[in-house]
Amino acid sequence: MSSAETKIDIRYVAKLARIELTDEEVATFGAQLGDLLGHVNVLSELDTASVAATAQVVESRNVEREDAAGQCLDRETVLSMAPQRQGSFFRVPRIIAEEG
Amino acid sequence: MSDFIRMSAAEVARGVNGAAFSASDVTDAVLAHVDAVDDRIGSYLTRLHDLARETARNVDARVKNGEKLPLAGVPVAVKDNMCLTGTRTTCGSKILENWISPYTGTAVQRILNAGGIPVGKANMDEFAMGSSCENSALGETRNPYDLDRVPGGSSGGSAAAVAAYEAAIGMGSDTGGSIREPAAFCNIVGFKPTYGRISRYGLIAFASSLDQIGPLTRTVEDAALAYEAMAGHDPMDSTSIDRQVEAASTALRTDLKGVRVGIVKEFVTENLGPEIHALYQQTYAELEKLGAELVDVSLPTADYGLATYYLIAPAECSSNLARFDGVRYGMRIEGADVGQMYEKTRAAGFGPEVKRRILIGTYALSSGYYDAYYVKAQKARTLFSQDFKRAFESCDLIASPAASSPAFRFKSKSDPYSMYMMDYYTIPMSLAGLPALSVPCGWVDGMPMGLQLAAPLFEEARLLGAAHAYEQATHHARRHEPKMLEVAS
């Protein structure tokens, strides 16, 4: 199957993936991903109409545990890894724009 | 005694447990060797001198108290996607360049409990995405057999460390071949157990339905010892299997009488070139000479492995790597609002291969394409499990090349897909969750090649037993020493 036919809106995908791309990256990745999708399109040759999708390769049942508090990392350890904190919170830039 | 560095894990443990020498003796020798050679090889991103010496003293004290430890004093390279308290754990990525693990993962802890000594954190392709270690953002690892060639990947640092005697056990992780391919490239044994056999708690996730921890070692016996130390149920990993682990180190065989070895007819070796083709014909003949019965088996979906894998693995990676957003840990690049901060952080923190895979995975999971790509791939994956099940009705093990070429030169695979092709033989087993390993089987162009053996789910003991018979009868690994060590000594 030819690879040239698959066109991806790479900027839209990058927005979904939360990665800022340079113009150069848009060009390179766009071409490379189109090429890769050309390769993976061979899967359309496989007849999977009566095949169930794999959920797991090794059979296992729902794994549950007692609903009881266990040991976990203490708050100070966790917060000390953060790029920015404020007291006992992770600090992030503004999320909601101010009303204009 | 620099002989310590060349000892197998089994020999080290025997000596330390028998008080012939101490864990500290071995550790000092290995650390000195690492300091002498690793500037040229680059196996380790972080050397753990202090922790190694302290751990060795503890092991010596435990042995003095009468404990028998299966890995007493054995030097271990820990792949840098595994958490070990107080050590930098980078995943070969700028986004985690300065991140210190706040806890120790289960597999690493079990190696430590068994007496292993952590020598360093080993280099890897960024987030385990790659087949050459060239995707590491933090350092270059060279193949000890030819410094102009790659060590393979993604567990390339662990493989190079073991090959160059900088450790006896390398801890690796394998998603599509990341233990087996570097093992083949570096003339050592690389073993990926059944999916779920070894807990992944404390392994930074790439593709959770495929990721599996396993050992890289210079002998099959050492792989069995390391496997036994790490395997077994762990409530901290909900995909960990609650099932008895069969002893593997006591199931090592010296012949292959009564073993039916399947040769996959779709895995033609003719197109790998006359030399490689001849090598694998010789390898299969060696198996036969040991008493194995060779049978033809078919994996009709074999040629769809790469396509299936390169949808499932990126899809899972795009989801798993969403956690690296500059909020709770790792790098942050500031932005005007939180969205811009995410986008700038991830743009600066991830390298090109990681970005490529996140983008392809995001696309495959996005609205309108989910059924056509992701669900289709998961259905194709079912066909792999069915094919293997059918194949194993007429054979006990499956033999194939581990990689389609020997270790290649740096920057020789500029097109991403040509790099992905390196995993052609290892991906099918990963998709089906099967245990598989690579064991040295000869030399092409002065570089080592690996025989891949695969077994049905949970048949690790059978697999290691047969690989041991092959290794002991052929000793292909012993024909050459790493070139750079010949020069040094």
Side-chain angles (χ1 to χ4, degrees):
Chain A
M1 216 169 269
S2 148
S3 56
E5 289 143 30
T6 316
K7 275 259 177 269
I8 307 179
D9 183 352
I10 199 81
R11 284 190 194 278
Y12 171 69
V13 177
K15 192 82 196 164
L16 292 177
R18 301 286 200 181
I19 300 175
E20 186 179 80
L21 296 183
T22 63
D23 291 344
E24 200 185 323
E25 283 177 318
V26 169
T28 320
F29 290 149
Q32 288 171 338
L33 297 195
D35 188 41
L36 180 63
L37 285 178
H39 285 291
V40 303
N41 278 338
V42 298
L43 287 185
S44 60
E45 297 167 16
L46 284 178
D47 179 8
T48 52
S50 57
V51 180
T54 294
Q56 54 194 7
V57 287
V58 175
E59 264 186 59
S60 72
R61 300 265 172 100
N62 285 343
V63 178
E64 297 166 340
R65 64 163 175 80
E66 287 294 303
D67 186 16
Q71 272 208 318
C72 62
L73 296 174
D74 63 88
R75 183 196 278 168
E76 193 48 44
T77 305
V78 173
L79 284 165
S80 69
M81 298 187 292
Q84 259 198 54
R85 63 182 285 189
Q86 188 171 322
S88 57
F89 297 97
F90 296 110
R91 188 185 167 91
V92 294
R94 192 175 63 200
I95 293 176
I96 301 164
E98 281 166 53
E99 301 265 337
Chain B
M1 280 289 286
S2 66
D3 280 355
F4 287 136
I5 65 167
R6 285 184 160 69
M7 284 182 180
S8 69
E11 287 166 340
V12 170
R14 211 176 299 134
V16 172
N17 283 318
F21 46 82
S22 71
S24 297
D25 294 338
V26 178
T27 302
D28 287 343
V30 170
L31 291 174
H33 178 63
V34 169
D35 286 341
V37 301
D38 205 53
D39 289 343
R40 280 173 294 156
I41 300 176
S43 304
Y44 293 115
L45 290 172
T46 308
R47 299 178 197 173
L48 300 171
H49 289 78
D50 294 345
L51 181 63
R53 290 204 177 93
E54 186 194 325
T55 311
R57 282 194 294 273
N58 289 339
V59 167
D60 285 330
R62 287 168 70 191
V63 169
K64 218 169 216 165
N65 275 332
E67 278 190 69
K68 293 281 180 229
L69 303 170
L71 300 177
V74 174
V76 179
V78 181
K79 187 174 180 179
D80 213 19
N81 56 356
M82 297 181 197
C83 293
L84 170 56
T85 303
T87 68
R88 201 166 71 115
T89 302
T90 68
C91 271
S93 181
K94 277 194 280 189
I95 211 160
L96 285 177
E97 187 170 2
N98 299 307
W99 186 69
I100 308 288
S101 302
Y103 69 101
T104 298
T106 302
V108 176
Q109 188 59 54
R110 288 182 180 183
I111 290 282
L112 296 178
N113 294 349
I117 311 295
V119 175
K121 302 296 291 289
N123 196 17
M124 55 185 283
D125 286 297
E126 185 175 4
F127 284 101
M129 299 172 196
S131 309
S132 68
C133 262
E134 289 169 292
N135 294 336
S136 171
L138 303 180
E140 185 173 71
T141 302
R142 294 158 178 269
N143 191 309
Y145 286 86
D146 180 347
L147 297 178
D148 293 330
R149 295 180 194 242
V150 303
S154 66
S155 309
S158 298
V162 170
Y165 305 106
E166 298 177 87
I169 293 171
M171 294 182 71
S173 64
D174 189 312
T175 304
S178 279
I179 288 174
R180 291 161 284 166
E181 186 247 23
F185 280 13
C186 290
N187 192 32
I188 60 173
V189 177
F191 171 42
K192 179 201 95 74
T194 303
Y195 177 77
R197 268 296 201 199
I198 295 176
S199 168
R200 294 177 297 127
Y201 176 64
L203 171 73
I204 296 174
F206 158 18
S208 304
S209 78
L210 296 156
D211 295 342
Q212 180 59 65
I213 291 174
L216 297 101
T217 53
R218 290 189 296 271
T219 69
V220 174
E221 182 187 18
D222 284 0
L225 288 172
Y227 163 69
E228 287 170 354
M230 290 188 281
H233 182 242
D234 172 24
M236 296 302 282
D237 174 359
S238 62
T239 62
S240 144
I241 302 163
D242 193 358
R243 184 180 170 122
Q244 174 99 30
V245 179
E246 269 181 79
S249 60
T250 52
L252 303 178
R253 307 169 54 121
T254 51
D255 66 59
L256 295 175
K257 289 195 184 91
V259 180
R260 297 165 305 166
V261 175
I263 308 294
V264 179
K265 75 169 193 219
E266 288 81 5
F267 283 172
V268 285
T269 51
E270 273 92 344
N271 52 12
L272 303 180
E275 241 190 309
I276 297 177
H277 175 62
L279 178 78
Y280 284 103
Q281 295 313 302
Q282 178 199 304
T283 301
Y284 302 153
E286 287 167 340
L287 293 170
E288 209 169 13
K289 214 173 138 197
L290 278 163
E293 180 197 343
L294 300 186
V295 296
D296 289 328
V297 295
S298 175
L299 292 178
T301 45
D303 280 345
Y304 300 94
L306 282 168
T308 306
Y309 179 86
Y310 277 99
L311 286 169
I312 293 172
E316 294 184 13
C317 110
S318 73
S319 171
N320 273 326
L321 270 60
R323 73 192 58 173
F324 300 103
D325 58 6
V327 176
R328 289 163 300 162
Y329 33 66
M331 170 199 274
R332 172 190 290 191
I333 305 292
E334 293 300 341
D337 57 32
V338 77
Q340 218 183 71
M341 185 276 282
Y342 294 154
E343 293 185 358
K344 287 185 182 299
T345 296
R346 291 160 65 79
F350 293 138
E353 182 61 25
V354 174
K355 287 179 189 170
R356 253 193 303 275
R357 296 212 197 177
I358 290 175
L359 293 172
I360 199 84
T362 302
Y363 179 74
L365 291 174
S366 65
S367 173
Y369 299 100
Y370 182 81
D371 286 333
Y373 288 115
Y374 186 68
V375 175
K376 181 75 183 179
Q378 288 290 24
K379 287 183 173 182
R381 187 173 184 180
T382 303
L383 296 177
F384 280 88
S385 290
Q386 291 174 353
D387 282 359
F388 275 112
K389 209 166 180 187
R390 205 172 305 117
F392 280 125
E393 282 168 11
S394 60
C395 66
D396 305 302
L397 297 170
I398 286 176
S400 79
S404 45
S405 77
F408 45 89
R409 290 177 197 285
F410 287 96
K411 296 186 171 66
S412 63
K413 308 259 180 218
S414 50
D415 157 41
Y417 202 74
S418 70
M419 186 73 87
Y420 299 168
M421 286 293 287
M422 292 314 299
D423 295 334
Y424 174 84
Y425 295 104
T426 50
I427 277 175
M429 290 73 181
S430 296
L431 290 171
L434 303 178
L437 57 76
S438 175
V439 58
C441 71
W443 300 77
V444 167
D445 198 11
M447 294 302 288
M449 298 289 290
L451 163 68
Q452 179 178 234
L453 292 172
L457 295 171
F458 309 119
E459 297 293 347
E460 283 88 356
R462 180 197 298 178
L463 178 63
L464 289 161
H468 181 260
Y470 179 78
E471 170 197 64
Q472 294 301 307
T474 58
H475 283 306
H476 287 295
R478 288 196 195 160
R479 270 178 41 206
H480 300 284
E481 271 279 280
K483 271 183 198 147
M484 55 105 36
L485 296 182
E486 282 172 8
V487 176
S489 61

